[in-house]
Amino acid sequence: MIVVVVGAVVLFKQYPGRGPRMFLGLILACYALYIGYALVVWA
Amino acid sequence: MNTPGHAIVNLLILGRRDRRSLFAPVAFGALLPDLPMFVFYAYEKSWLKTPERVIRSEAYYDSGWQAFFDVFNSLPLLALGVLVARQLARPHAAVLFLSMMLHTVCDLALHREDAHQHFFHSRIGAFKVLSLTGPPATMAVSFLRSI
């Protein structure tokens, strides 16, 4: 998961276009939800 | 690995900063092998109103649905797609098929009970990746038996 999140951030910086950034932003949002949900369940 | 994870890994491996037009085929190719499962789930859940438990334990393993999934995860068929796209001088289509192949190769090592037939429509089409996760000797015997 760490590799994917770091990779998404790296790609986000590499691709300045609106389309790629929306796509990568969506993926990062998905992971933020995963992590948030995991933290809530863990707590 | 989940579907967004495949997209990131494929973009990191196949994406090229100097060729930004490859972003879309690589990203779409990374998602495409899992797309039939979203179609399956949406159809079973919304159209047929199949209960969640039945979807996960029975409907998913239906031979018709499995064949539908396997077409999008078949390495021989995807390799054929790459060759045809190259012959027709369609580089973006070739990259899309390559991205699908990379997704499938990643799945090959990471799935067990829910594995697809990655050699669908080939001589070793019956080979399920289920046996690929055992000890090396067992894997080799299972593979040879399947040919």
Side-chain angles (χ1 to χ4, degrees):
Chain A
M1 185 181 270
I2 292 167
V3 172
V4 173
V5 172
V6 171
V9 173
V10 169
L11 288 167
F12 196 87
K13 287 182 177 174
Q14 282 183 355
Y15 290 92
R18 192 176 164 209
R21 286 203 160 176
M22 278 176 66
F23 180 78
L24 294 165
L26 193 67
I27 288 177
L28 283 169
C30 285
Y31 273 92
L33 281 174
Y34 289 155
I35 293 165
Y37 179 73
L39 285 174
V40 167
V41 170
W42 179 67
Chain B
M1 195 185 301
N2 57 28
T3 307
H6 279 292
I8 299 300
V9 168
N10 282 21
L11 283 165
L12 287 171
I13 294 173
L14 296 175
R16 298 262 302 271
R17 244 192 308 181
D18 54 332
R19 293 191 64 186
R20 296 207 168 114
S21 64
L22 294 181
F23 186 95
V26 171
F28 191 56
L31 304 179
L32 208 50
D34 285 346
L35 210 61
M37 277 163 277
F38 291 108
V39 172
F40 151 77
Y41 187 81
Y43 178 73
E44 288 282 346
K45 188 85 178 169
S46 308
W47 191 260
L48 299 180
K49 310 282 184 203
T50 309
E52 187 73 29
R53 187 187 53 79
V54 178
I55 289 177
R56 292 184 183 275
S57 62
E58 292 173 33
Y60 179 82
Y61 298 98
D62 175 80
S63 59
W65 279 120
Q66 284 292 317
F68 178 53
F69 305 149
D70 292 341
V71 168
F72 290 80
N73 288 273
S74 164
L75 284 168
L77 292 180
L78 296 175
L80 188 67
V82 174
L83 286 175
V84 170
R86 284 199 63 171
Q87 285 297 316
L88 298 174
R90 295 277 188 271
H92 287 83
V95 169
L96 180 120
F97 284 118
L98 266 178
S99 183
M100 290 176 75
M101 284 183 81
L102 182 58
H103 176 131
T104 303
V105 167
C106 290
D107 278 353
L108 198 72
L110 297 173
H111 287 257
R112 267 177 68 94
E113 285 78 9
D114 59 341
H116 302 293
Q117 292 192 48
H118 295 300
F119 298 96
F120 189 63
H121 277 210
S122 70
R123 281 192 65 215
I124 48 177
F127 178 60
K128 291 284 279 188
V129 187
L130 183 66
S131 52
L132 253 182
T133 46
T138 315
M139 285 162 49
V141 168
S142 303
F143 185 77
L144 290 171
R145 276 185 185 158
S146 69
I147 298 175

